[in-house]
PDB file of all heavy atoms in Angstrom:
ATOM      1  N   ASP N 107      36.582 -51.684  -3.841  1.00 94.00           N
ATOM      2  CA  ASP N 107      37.617 -51.514  -4.916  1.00 94.00           C
ATOM      3  C   ASP N 107      36.969 -51.571  -6.307  1.00 94.00           C
ATOM      4  O   ASP N 107      37.257 -50.802  -7.209  1.00 94.00           O
ATOM      5  CB  ASP N 107      38.708 -52.561  -4.777  1.00 94.00           C
ATOM      6  CG  ASP N 107      39.516 -52.449  -3.514  1.00 94.00           C
ATOM      7  OD1 ASP N 107      39.888 -51.332  -3.118  1.00 94.00           O
ATOM      8  OD2 ASP N 107      39.744 -53.513  -2.914  1.00 94.00           O
ATOM      9  N   ALA N 108      36.071 -52.575  -6.430  1.00 94.00           N
ATOM     10  CA  ALA N 108      35.386 -52.738  -7.739  1.00 94.00           C
ATOM     11  C   ALA N 108      34.475 -51.527  -8.054  1.00 94.00           C
ATOM     12  O   ALA N 108      34.423 -51.068  -9.176  1.00 94.00           O
ATOM     13  CB  ALA N 108      34.554 -54.044  -7.750  1.00 94.00           C
ATOM     14  N   VAL N 109      33.781 -51.051  -7.016  1.00 95.00           N
ATOM     15  CA  VAL N 109      32.866 -49.893  -7.231  1.00 95.00           C
ATOM     16  C   VAL N 109      33.682 -48.696  -7.657  1.00 95.00           C
ATOM     17  O   VAL N 109      33.332 -48.058  -8.659  1.00 95.00           O
ATOM     18  CB  VAL N 109      32.115 -49.579  -5.890  1.00 95.00           C
ATOM     19  CG1 VAL N 109      31.397 -48.255  -6.032  1.00 95.00           C
ATOM     20  CG2 VAL N 109      31.095 -50.665  -5.592  1.00 95.00           C
ATOM     21  N   GLU N 110      34.773 -48.414  -6.977  1.00 96.00           N
ATOM     22  CA  GLU N 110      35.604 -47.262  -7.347  1.00 96.00           C
ATOM     23  C   GLU N 110      36.160 -47.418  -8.774  1.00 96.00           C
ATOM     24  O   GLU N 110      36.111 -46.486  -9.580  1.00 96.00           O
ATOM     25  CB  GLU N 110      36.736 -47.121  -6.344  1.00 96.00           C
ATOM     26  CG  GLU N 110      37.635 -45.927  -6.653  1.00 96.00           C
ATOM     27  CD  GLU N 110      38.844 -45.871  -5.707  1.00 96.00           C
ATOM     28  OE1 GLU N 110      38.788 -46.433  -4.585  1.00 96.00           O
ATOM     29  OE2 GLU N 110      39.832 -45.260  -6.082  1.00 96.00           O
ATOM     30  N   PHE N 111      36.641 -48.602  -9.067  1.00 96.00           N
ATOM     31  CA  PHE N 111      37.234 -48.908 -10.402  1.00 96.00           C
ATOM     32  C   PHE N 111      36.189 -48.675 -11.492  1.00 96.00           C
ATOM     33  O   PHE N 111      36.490 -48.017 -12.499  1.00 96.00           O
ATOM     34  CB  PHE N 111      37.734 -50.381 -10.416  1.00 96.00           C
ATOM     35  CG  PHE N 111      38.235 -50.804 -11.759  1.00 96.00           C
ATOM     36  CD1 PHE N 111      39.492 -50.479 -12.220  1.00 96.00           C
ATOM     37  CD2 PHE N 111      37.388 -51.551 -12.589  1.00 96.00           C
ATOM     38  CE1 PHE N 111      39.929 -50.890 -13.468  1.00 96.00           C
ATOM     39  CE2 PHE N 111      37.831 -51.963 -13.810  1.00 96.00           C
ATOM     40  CZ  PHE N 111      39.093 -51.636 -14.271  1.00 96.00           C
ATOM     41  N   ILE N 112      35.023 -49.205 -11.317  1.00 96.00           N
ATOM     42  CA  ILE N 112      33.943 -49.130 -12.348  1.00 96.00           C
ATOM     43  C   ILE N 112      33.419 -47.708 -12.437  1.00 96.00           C
ATOM     44  O   ILE N 112      33.110 -47.227 -13.558  1.00 96.00           O
ATOM     45  CB  ILE N 112      32.865 -50.174 -12.072  1.00 96.00           C
ATOM     46  CG1 ILE N 112      33.436 -51.563 -12.242  1.00 96.00           C
ATOM     47  CG2 ILE N 112      31.687 -49.952 -13.010  1.00 96.00           C
ATOM     48  CD1 ILE N 112      32.558 -52.716 -11.777  1.00 96.00           C
ATOM     49  N   MET N 113      33.310 -46.973 -11.337  1.00 96.00           N
ATOM     50  CA  MET N 113      32.858 -45.617 -11.428  1.00 96.00           C
ATOM     51  C   MET N 113      33.879 -44.754 -12.219  1.00 96.00           C
ATOM     52  O   MET N 113      33.455 -43.944 -13.035  1.00 96.00           O
ATOM     53  CB  MET N 113      32.733 -45.023  -9.983  1.00 96.00           C
ATOM     54  CG  MET N 113      31.645 -45.604  -9.141  1.00 96.00           C
ATOM     55  SD  MET N 113      29.952 -45.259  -9.750  1.00 96.00           S
ATOM     56  CE  MET N 113      29.785 -43.507  -9.449  1.00 96.00           C
ATOM     57  N   VAL N 114      35.165 -44.911 -12.006  1.00 95.00           N
ATOM     58  CA  VAL N 114      36.215 -44.207 -12.751  1.00 95.00           C
ATOM     59  C   VAL N 114      36.129 -44.563 -14.232  1.00 95.00           C
ATOM     60  O   VAL N 114      36.202 -43.706 -15.113  1.00 95.00           O
ATOM     61  CB  VAL N 114      37.578 -44.436 -12.150  1.00 95.00           C
ATOM     62  CG1 VAL N 114      38.706 -43.961 -13.076  1.00 95.00           C
ATOM     63  CG2 VAL N 114      37.745 -43.813 -10.794  1.00 95.00           C
ATOM     64  N   ALA N 115      35.992 -45.856 -14.522  1.00 93.00           N
ATOM     65  CA  ALA N 115      35.956 -46.303 -15.933  1.00 93.00           C
ATOM     66  C   ALA N 115      34.706 -45.731 -16.614  1.00 93.00           C
ATOM     67  O   ALA N 115      34.776 -45.279 -17.789  1.00 93.00           O
ATOM     68  CB  ALA N 115      35.865 -47.822 -15.967  1.00 93.00           C
TER      69      ALA N 115
END
Side-chain angles (χ1 to χ4, degrees):
D107 295 317
V109 170
E110 180 183 339
F111 174 82
I112 295 169
M113 292 294 289
V114 168

